[in-house]
Amino acid sequence: MMKKLALATSAFAMLAATPGLAQDVSVKLGVLNDRSGVYADLSGEGSVIAAQMAVEDFGAEEKGITVEIVSADHQNKPDVASNIARQWYSEEDVDAIFDVPTSSAALAVHEITREMDKIFMNSGAATSDLTGSACSPNTVHWTYDTWALANGTGGAMVEQGGDSWFFITADYAFGHALERDTTAFVEKSGGTVVGSVRHPFPGSDFSSFLLQAQASGAKVVGLANAGGDTINAVKQASEFGITQAGQSLAGLLVFLTDVHSLGLQTAQGLVLTESFYWDLNDQTREWSARFEEQAGDKPTMVQAGVYGSVLHYLKAVEATGTDETAAVMEWMKANPTDDPLFGQGEIREDGRKIHDMYLFRVKAPDQSEGPWDYYELLETIPADQAFRPLADGGCSLVEEAAAQ
Amino acid sequence: MFELLGIPPQALFGQLLLGLINGSFYAMLSLGLAVIFGLLNIINFTHGAQYMMGAFVTWMLLTYFGINYWAALILVPLIVGASGIVIERLMISRLYHLDHLYGLLLTFGLALIIQGLFRNQYGVSGIPYAAPELLQGGHNLGFMYLPNSRLWVIVASLVVCLGTWFMIEKTKLGAYLRAATENPTLVGAFGINVPRMITLTYGFGVGLAALAGVLAAPIYSVNPNMGEQLIIVVFAVVVIGGMGSILGAIITGFGLGLVEGLTRVFYPEGSAVVIFVIMAIVLLVKPAGLFGRTA
């Protein structure tokens, strides 16, 4: 009895002491993304707004945590991204970097973060290598990845009879990873890949590549690109009668802002995978309405991911009372995640954040009931099936843990 | 079925046709640049932004005023051309006595400002612009499905290019223009208002860019970055054709569209650089460009 009482008292003392510890903590967060190029609408200024909302909703100030947010444009270039990251970490005392769309830029920031022993919480980039072959103890991959996209959209297309594929792939780390992961999925399900073409990033004219896809006779034309590239490819596929001639178009990574830009007339029927949609439940609707007031548009899953990751990071800072990398990372991985946008989840030891993913179909214009009413939910992919199994990624952290 | 260079001839015809369509855009844009450089000696880096403005004004006319695509083909070049005239009068005309570089820097800065303004207002994802009814659908040519909207681009571009070439090379007005570039003082002495002629020429060149923007609106999504991506390629086209050469701009425009189209088939990764490789070779072998005159 005495022992129990002592334990309870010390636990209470620790809890009571935590806010006191956190009082002196000040953290600096860097939101690094595309502010003017093809990914600026789906991340950009909206991600900074999402980060600020997380700080306000968390009540950092009342909890004694001073938070400063800085942001910059990496222009989708790995060299620019790594220069900014290095400067932020070494000269401006930034504790953690968020967002970073464009896989090549994200991989660059990932390496510098490991080298400088800081924290990188990615929500914008897709490559599954971040938590696979290139995994690092300093990175959390929050929103989605190429494996989850291949699993969602790829799986659904094969199920519907799309067993032969032709890829139109953006020629950089992201496109390659998405093509690789989707190919693995198609082949595992008994399908074949009849060909692929790699286009320069960013591109504007996709007619040549679409014609090659048409000539290949594949049942599914997989678009392993994103943002402006996907928009142009989908638009031109419709112009060249690809879908009318019987081939299906698989947008392997399509964001809400892409559908908004395409218009439902062109985008209708596209099947896509996302980890967040503003109209999922009351919580997402409430948050998205607040976001829209500030940003002007509904949020994408990337921006939602920035909100979720900043929130979890701040919880860790509050609980540990420090901005020290190892302690914060350990807390983030040891404790479940819970936020209004992604619900409950966890961060695995390879850095992969786990939550449900959703398979949507884009509505036809007459099904849409108002502005931004674009998606019809086809299927919820449960968290434990949505992402690559821990053992399959080839992450050295997992192997080390298993060896011990 | 026999194959040509590893791909079936039918697919090859399709790719050549697509190259021709892209070449139409290159030709129209480089034509405008060549006209402006040939007569004003200004390297108009704002050209891409003016092409983008053409597409946006087309969209605005439809959205805010209900003015359709066909009317836009006439109105947009006039509106954007007029904005060009204002820019020429207020800014560019003050630089004629300076080195080329100053004109280049001014127009480059203007392009960044215009793009930034549109980007802030409309975002980067682009806005849909539906093709008019007449241009929807297409023809099955046997080797490919040719959308009407693209067929129309080839026709429109050929008409505009040949018309411009005819006007500058074969008419009296064209003769005055060419004379004014050689010796403005002398032409002025004949009672011709040279500054006004130069202003109108700049407006005309800008109008050509805007017209290309109208043609692009239903094909590409209307977005603030559309000119930025194209302008570098178009500059290479002008350099290869010979700075200021009207015929050079037209022929290399179409020709390089074809070369790029073929590269997309045989080595897609190289399609973004093939034009610059050609530019480097041409500059080494014939520095004035294929159709350029050495001073």
Side-chain angles (χ1 to χ4, degrees):
Chain A
M1 181 68 194
M2 279 306 283
K3 199 175 168 188
K4 264 190 183 168
L5 190 66
L7 264 177
T9 321
S10 57
F12 180 75
M14 271 174 73
L15 277 176
T18 309
L21 275 174
Q23 258 167 11
D24 299 331
V25 181
S26 69
V27 289
K28 197 166 181 180
L29 315 179
V31 179
L32 181 57
N33 60 27
D34 177 10
R35 307 299 292 264
S36 53
V38 286
Y39 301 146
D41 281 356
L42 62 93
S43 62
E45 181 61 21
S47 289
V48 182
I49 291 172
Q52 277 159 350
M53 285 174 74
V55 175
E56 285 158 24
D57 292 355
F58 178 72
E61 209 177 327
E62 298 89 77
K63 289 172 177 160
I65 304 173
T66 315
V67 184
E68 188 187 343
I69 295 175
V70 290
S71 63
D73 183 2
H74 67 23
Q75 301 166 33
N76 300 321
K77 292 174 184 154
D79 51 336
V80 177
S82 41
N83 279 340
I84 295 171
R86 193 176 289 282
Q87 193 191 337
W88 273 357
Y89 287 146
S90 57
E91 287 167 34
E92 296 182 31
D93 221 14
V94 166
D95 295 290
I97 291 181
F98 294 80
D99 202 1
V100 198
T102 314
S103 293
S104 46
L107 285 164
V109 172
H110 173 79
E111 286 310 322
I112 294 204
T113 307
R114 187 206 310 251
E115 188 188 312
M116 314 279 281
D117 196 24
K118 301 282 186 173
I119 292 176
F120 175 33
M121 303 201 62
N122 184 293
S123 71
T127 178
S128 59
D129 291 348
L130 282 171
T131 58
S133 55
C135 76
S136 140
N138 301 73
T139 296
V140 172
H141 198 182
W142 194 275
T143 317
Y144 68 106
D145 64 26
T146 49
W147 196 95
L149 298 172
N151 178 35
T153 311
M157 298 303 280
V158 177
E159 238 170 61
Q160 288 169 13
D163 55 4
S164 60
W165 285 61
F166 185 96
F167 288 103
I168 296 179
T169 304
D171 193 15
Y172 72 104
F174 150 69
H176 301 175
L178 189 49
E179 184 188 326
R180 177 198 65 206
D181 287 347
T182 313
T183 300
F185 218 88
V186 169
E187 287 173 350
K188 202 178 82 184
S189 318
T192 49
V193 174
V194 297
S196 73
V197 61
R198 290 187 168 171
H199 69 79
F201 162 76
S204 59
D205 182 52
F206 290 85
S207 47
S208 283
F209 310 127
L210 288 165
L211 207 62
Q212 290 174 56
Q214 204 164 30
S216 77
K219 287 183 188 163
V220 180
V221 180
L223 300 177
N225 50 20
D229 288 349
T230 307
I231 293 171
N232 271 318
V234 172
K235 194 173 159 71
Q236 289 164 25
S238 144
E239 193 192 347
F240 279 87
I242 300 278
T243 42
Q244 292 91 320
Q247 285 178 305
S248 307
L249 208 59
L252 293 165
L253 177 51
V254 181
F255 295 96
L256 189 70
T257 41
D258 301 343
V259 174
H260 185 63
S261 163
L262 279 165
L264 290 183
Q265 189 61 41
T266 314
Q268 59 181 311
L270 265 182
V271 173
L272 52 96
T273 307
E274 293 230 47
S275 58
F276 167 84
Y277 175 50
W278 69 271
D279 202 10
L280 277 176
N281 55 49
D282 287 343
Q283 286 182 316
T284 56
R285 278 187 284 273
E286 186 271 330
W287 185 82
S288 303
R290 281 197 288 134
F291 178 90
E292 194 181 3
E293 270 172 30
Q294 294 184 54
D297 290 335
K298 288 286 185 206
T300 61
M301 65 169 163
V302 170
Q303 290 153 347
V306 171
Y307 178 86
S309 55
V310 170
L311 209 57
H312 194 60
Y313 175 84
L314 291 176
K315 282 181 192 170
V317 171
E318 185 197 15
T320 56
T322 175
D323 58 0
E324 200 260 315
T325 299
V328 171
M329 278 304 274
E330 195 187 333
W331 190 95
M332 287 200 295
K333 287 185 179 178
N335 290 278
T337 60
D338 189 9
D339 61 69
L341 307 187
F342 296 89
Q344 294 188 333
E346 58 161 319
I347 299 170
R348 291 192 315 211
E349 54 193 292
D350 60 354
R352 179 64 253 168
K353 156 77 165 39
I354 303 294
H355 46 241
D356 292 346
M357 295 288 290
Y358 307 94
L359 192 66
F360 295 108
R361 185 190 291 127
V362 177
K363 290 182 174 178
D366 57 357
Q367 292 174 308
S368 171
E369 286 169 5
W372 296 98
D373 178 23
Y374 294 153
Y375 293 171
E376 167 196 354
L377 181 64
L378 294 181
E379 193 188 327
T380 301
I381 308 162
D384 58 342
Q385 293 167 29
F387 292 94
R388 180 175 58 201
L390 193 58
D392 294 356
C395 167
S396 54
L397 296 171
V398 180
E399 285 157 17
E400 280 164 26
Q404 275 170 10
Chain B
M1 191 165 64
F2 82 100
E3 291 196 342
L4 203 62
L5 302 169
I7 63 165
Q10 287 194 328
L12 192 66
F13 292 145
Q15 296 295 346
L16 287 173
L17 191 56
L18 289 176
L20 205 61
I21 296 166
N22 279 338
S24 305
F25 280 109
Y26 295 160
M28 275 184 81
L29 286 169
S30 54
L31 179 65
L33 276 179
V35 168
I36 292 171
F37 182 79
L39 302 176
L40 281 74
N41 263 339
I42 288 286
I43 302 172
N44 184 35
F45 237 99
T46 324
H47 217 66
Q50 282 153 342
Y51 158 77
M52 178 268 288
M53 280 168 76
F56 263 101
V57 175
T58 309
W59 172 82
M60 286 170 184
L61 285 178
L62 183 69
T63 313
Y64 301 133
F65 304 103
I67 297 172
N68 71 15
Y69 177 84
W70 304 107
L73 283 172
I74 311 283
L75 286 176
V76 171
L78 291 177
I79 296 168
V80 181
S83 79
I85 286 176
V86 173
I87 290 173
E88 198 275 344
R89 276 293 85 203
L90 290 180
M91 295 178 230
I92 297 174
S93 62
R94 294 165 199 273
L95 304 181
Y96 288 137
H97 62 286
L98 297 172
D99 190 82
H100 288 335
L101 263 181
Y102 291 89
L104 189 149
L105 289 174
L106 172 74
T107 51
F108 183 60
L110 278 175
L112 292 181
I113 293 169
I114 295 171
Q115 275 166 13
L117 289 174
F118 275 88
R119 205 180 279 147
N120 282 349
Q121 188 62 33
Y122 297 102
V124 295
S125 297
I127 303 168
Y129 183 88
E133 214 167 302
L134 200 61
L135 296 185
Q136 284 175 5
H139 298 281
N140 196 341
L141 303 181
F143 56 90
M144 72 173 282
Y145 176 86
L146 179 63
N148 288 340
S149 50
R150 305 246 173 179
L151 180 64
W152 161 242
V153 169
I154 301 186
V155 174
S157 172
L158 277 176
V159 169
V160 170
C161 288
L162 291 177
T164 307
W165 173 80
F166 185 81
M167 190 187 81
I168 290 178
E169 300 290 338
K170 302 289 174 197
T171 65
K172 206 170 170 185
L173 177 68
Y176 286 151
L177 283 171
R178 282 178 290 132
T181 58
E182 296 291 332
N183 194 334
T185 326
L186 190 67
V187 174
F190 281 110
I192 292 163
N193 187 340
V194 176
R196 187 196 290 161
M197 203 156 76
I198 286 179
T199 305
L200 289 176
T201 305
Y202 186 78
F204 177 73
V206 173
L208 281 177
L211 184 60
V214 184
L215 295 177
I219 293 182
Y220 306 114
S221 69
V222 178
N223 88 66
N225 292 341
M226 62 194 286
E228 192 181 56
Q229 287 166 11
L230 207 55
I231 193 69
I232 306 291
V233 174
V234 173
F235 262 99
V237 171
V238 175
V239 171
I240 295 168
M243 294 292 291
S245 162
I246 307 291
L247 198 62
I250 299 172
I251 293 175
T252 43
F254 281 104
L256 289 172
L258 290 176
V259 170
E260 199 187 44
L262 289 178
T263 316
R264 286 213 172 100
V265 185
F266 297 112
Y267 184 58
E269 292 90 337
S271 60
V273 292
V274 64
I275 287 182
F276 302 101
V277 173
I278 295 177
M279 182 177 84
I281 296 170
V282 168
L283 282 177
L284 287 174
V285 179
K286 212 165 179 290
L290 295 177
F291 295 82
R293 285 169 301 169
T294 25

